[in-house]
Amino acid sequence: MYVCICKGITDRQIKEAVYDGSTSVKALRRQLGVSSQCGRCAELTQEIIDETMAGGVIAAANSGLFYSAG
């Protein structure tokens, strides 16, 4: 789905950028141009960042990347 109509940026592009390390709206603005025109997409962009980060942590934990100290 399109998140930023002004720049034609999709949720998939945002998720890929988050996986690549851009974990803030400011970083995504620099990388993709999201929220650099009218700014109406900033809130949805932040929601996508949050959901992607939460999902990434869960996926990483399930894949055995984290080890218990005990």
Side-chain angles (χ1 to χ4, degrees):
M1 109 179 124
Y2 282 97
V3 175
C4 179
I5 302 301
C6 298
K7 296 288 187 168
I9 299 167
T10 65
D11 59 332
R12 174 176 258 159
Q13 289 173 291
I14 292 170
K15 289 175 186 178
E16 288 175 7
V18 171
Y19 289 135
D20 288 340
S22 296
T23 57
S24 68
V25 174
K26 184 177 180 179
L28 288 168
R29 185 177 305 123
R30 281 184 296 214
Q31 183 176 350
L32 300 175
V34 69
S35 188
S36 63
Q37 292 287 326
C38 73
R40 291 183 181 180
C41 59
E43 187 175 328
L44 180 55
T45 298
Q46 185 62 57
E47 288 177 22
I48 293 169
I49 292 168
D50 294 342
E51 290 172 8
T52 305
M53 296 285 290
V57 169
I58 292 168
N62 289 337
S63 69
L65 294 177
F66 296 103
Y67 300 99
S68 64

